[in-house]
Amino acid sequence: MVTELVELTDLVQVAVRDATKALLDADLATAEKVISADSEIDARHDALEAQCFSLLARQAPVAGELRTVVAALRMIADLARMGDLAAHVAKIARLRYPEHAVPEPLVANFTLMARVAEEMVVTAGRSLNERNAHDAGKLADSDEEMDELRRSQFRVILGDSWSHSVEAAVDVALLGRYYERIADHAVIMAARVIYVITGLLPEGENWPSA
Amino acid sequence: MVTELVELTDLVQVAVRDATKALLDADLATAEKVISADSEIDARHDALEAQCFSLLARQAPVAGELRTVVAALRMIADLARMGDLAAHVAKIARLRYPEHAVPEPLVANFTLMARVAEEMVVTAGRSLNERNAHDAGKLADSDEEMDELRRSQFRVILGDSWSHSVEAAVDVALLGRYYERIADHAVIMAARVIYVITGLLPEGENWPSA
């Protein structure tokens, strides 16, 4: 079960990385690739969920194994959602092709935001694979970095010096939202990793419920 | 378990209704109420999730009861998320107070979109309470209505006759996204209701994985 979850996390990481490439390079072929690959992520979600249901029904797992299965049910939903969000990014890249959806004043911001989001997916997968609750715990801090990057985007698009179109501002607002949500799901996944390892969900305002 | 889920759905419905009132009436007190009430929804999410874990660990439920518990795990996550999204709507209303966040040309659209979203939450809760797979199945159609309303919003804010600010366009894009996501979660919840009743998840492109 953990192996399959880590594999799914790897697919999601590739989706996020490729979506960013599609977005920042206005690369249509890569955008199409991310959008097509999302059905593979969804298919793995469905298969893994069925596997969890079957495990619960046939084996009535207890203790650590039960924790893994119930956490897996939640993690696969988060991973499928991250895949959808990567596809949303790719769809905006495709919609604006051959133009770039991200206007020049925000390229550096999105480059950084996308890197942080992708690293959060990697950390969530690695902490699950290595049963490392300490690494998983650090994800709530990365999430604050994402929030600050998003606030900075709003300052730019709503500032007096914004000289690009309404369309570009709307794209930025939605793209920022998609990356922020990818990060949120990585944090929720990390909370489940901590639960698998320790039996307790982390508490505090940086750990969202949903 | 079903009773608690239906109660949580009722709280979410109130949150969506109040968030819409806050938004369309520029009603600050109601916006504050929605934002505060979200912690109650999150607390119920946490308590219900703990109850599901405990049921799985102590009683090793089988067949229909097992289906209910695993579906409940997913539904409470969707409901908590719908509560968050209602709070996001209320936060935009609060941010723009005493102005209205939704500009006049889009008031009718948002009135309808919010009504459809709220009705979808009601239908999801009622189909769960009454074990009505037929009603749950109709939610995928309402979701298409939401998608069309959202496309219509984009035509307005990106059209040549848009005379409002970039800020208003960005608010509209995000608010539309929040209502659309509330609807999506209602559809996912309906899919779980169908699973509880029939033992099968509905298939087809109108039924999202996550």
Side-chain angles (χ1 to χ4, degrees):
Chain A
M1 178 65 65
V2 169
T3 308
E4 289 91 336
L5 277 167
V6 172
E7 281 175 12
L8 182 55
T9 311
D10 290 344
L11 287 182
V12 169
Q13 185 212 337
V14 170
V16 173
R17 191 185 60 206
D18 287 349
T20 302
K21 182 180 188 315
L23 181 68
L24 296 177
D25 298 349
D27 175 344
L28 183 62
T30 303
E32 297 284 8
K33 181 184 154 201
V34 175
I35 296 161
S36 312
D38 191 42
S39 59
E40 167 67 16
I41 290 175
D42 288 343
R44 292 217 185 195
H45 165 280
D46 294 350
L48 266 170
E49 186 175 80
Q51 197 180 328
C52 289
F53 288 0
S54 169
L55 264 170
L56 286 169
R58 287 162 202 248
Q59 303 190 9
V62 293
E65 200 186 331
L66 175 61
R67 285 210 301 274
T68 303
V69 178
V70 295
L73 277 172
R74 182 59 205 261
M75 286 192 267
I76 57 176
D78 285 311
L79 286 162
R81 188 71 207 138
M82 290 187 238
D84 290 342
L85 290 160
H88 286 334
V89 170
K91 281 176 189 170
I92 290 185
R94 181 173 70 177
L95 190 64
R96 300 305 170 213
Y97 177 84
E99 302 297 321
H100 285 69
V102 175
E104 202 285 325
L106 281 162
V107 167
N109 175 299
F110 271 99
T111 303
L112 184 52
M113 186 179 231
R115 189 185 305 150
V116 175
E118 188 187 334
E119 278 170 12
M120 289 173 75
V121 175
V122 172
T123 304
R126 194 182 55 229
S127 65
L128 171 67
N129 198 27
E130 299 174 356
R131 295 181 62 86
N132 188 331
H134 179 73
D135 272 10
K138 286 192 281 190
L139 275 181
D141 301 330
S142 304
D143 202 36
E144 292 200 43
E145 190 178 354
M146 292 297 283
D147 292 344
E148 178 48 37
L149 284 164
R150 186 115 195 278
R151 281 191 291 270
S152 166
Q153 290 168 2
F154 280 112
R155 284 194 294 270
V156 173
I157 61 175
L158 302 180
D160 290 337
S161 58
W162 181 252
S163 60
H164 296 267
S165 62
V166 170
E167 182 178 274
V170 166
D171 283 349
V172 165
L174 292 174
L175 288 164
R177 176 81 187 152
Y178 298 150
Y179 279 108
E180 185 189 38
R181 289 299 300 158
I182 290 171
D184 288 343
H185 285 286
V187 174
I188 298 169
M189 182 170 161
R192 302 293 149 164
V193 170
I194 292 170
Y195 170 76
V196 167
I197 299 167
T198 67
L200 295 169
L201 282 167
E203 290 185 2
E205 61 180 22
N206 290 340
W207 293 99
S209 295
Chain B
M1 178 66 64
V2 169
T3 309
E4 288 92 335
L5 277 166
V6 171
E7 281 175 12
L8 182 53
T9 311
D10 290 345
L11 287 181
V12 169
Q13 185 212 337
V14 170
V16 173
R17 191 185 60 206
D18 286 348
T20 302
K21 182 178 187 317
L23 181 68
L24 296 177
D25 298 349
D27 174 346
L28 183 61
T30 303
E32 296 285 7
K33 181 184 154 202
V34 175
I35 295 161
S36 312
D38 191 43
S39 58
E40 166 68 17
I41 291 174
D42 288 343
R44 292 218 185 193
H45 165 280
D46 294 350
L48 266 171
E49 187 175 79
Q51 196 180 330
C52 289
F53 288 180
S54 168
L55 264 170
L56 286 169
R58 287 162 201 248
Q59 304 190 7
V62 293
E65 201 186 329
L66 175 61
R67 284 209 303 274
T68 303
V69 178
V70 296
L73 277 172
R74 181 59 205 260
M75 286 192 267
I76 57 177
D78 285 310
L79 286 163
R81 188 71 206 137
M82 290 186 239
D84 290 342
L85 289 159
H88 286 334
V89 169
K91 281 175 188 170
I92 290 186
R94 181 173 69 178
L95 191 63
R96 300 304 170 215
Y97 177 84
E99 303 295 321
H100 286 68
V102 175
E104 202 284 325
L106 281 161
V107 167
N109 176 298
F110 271 98
T111 303
L112 184 53
M113 186 180 231
R115 188 184 306 151
V116 175
E118 188 187 335
E119 278 170 11
M120 289 173 76
V121 176
V122 172
T123 304
R126 194 182 55 229
S127 65
L128 172 67
N129 197 28
E130 300 174 355
R131 296 180 62 86
N132 189 331
H134 178 73
D135 272 10
K138 285 192 282 189
L139 276 181
D141 301 330
S142 305
D143 202 37
E144 292 200 44
E145 190 178 354
M146 292 297 284
D147 292 345
E148 178 48 37
L149 284 165
R150 186 116 195 276
R151 281 191 292 271
S152 166
Q153 290 168 1
F154 279 113
R155 283 193 295 270
V156 172
I157 61 176
L158 303 180
D160 290 336
S161 58
W162 181 252
S163 60
H164 297 266
S165 62
V166 170
E167 182 178 273
V170 166
D171 283 348
V172 165
L174 291 174
L175 288 165
R177 176 82 187 150
Y178 299 149
Y179 279 109
E180 184 189 38
R181 288 299 300 158
I182 290 171
D184 288 344
H185 285 286
V187 173
I188 298 168
M189 183 170 161
R192 301 294 148 164
V193 170
I194 293 170
Y195 170 76
V196 168
I197 299 167
T198 67
L200 295 169
L201 282 167
E203 289 185 0
E205 62 180 21
N206 290 341
W207 292 98
S209 295

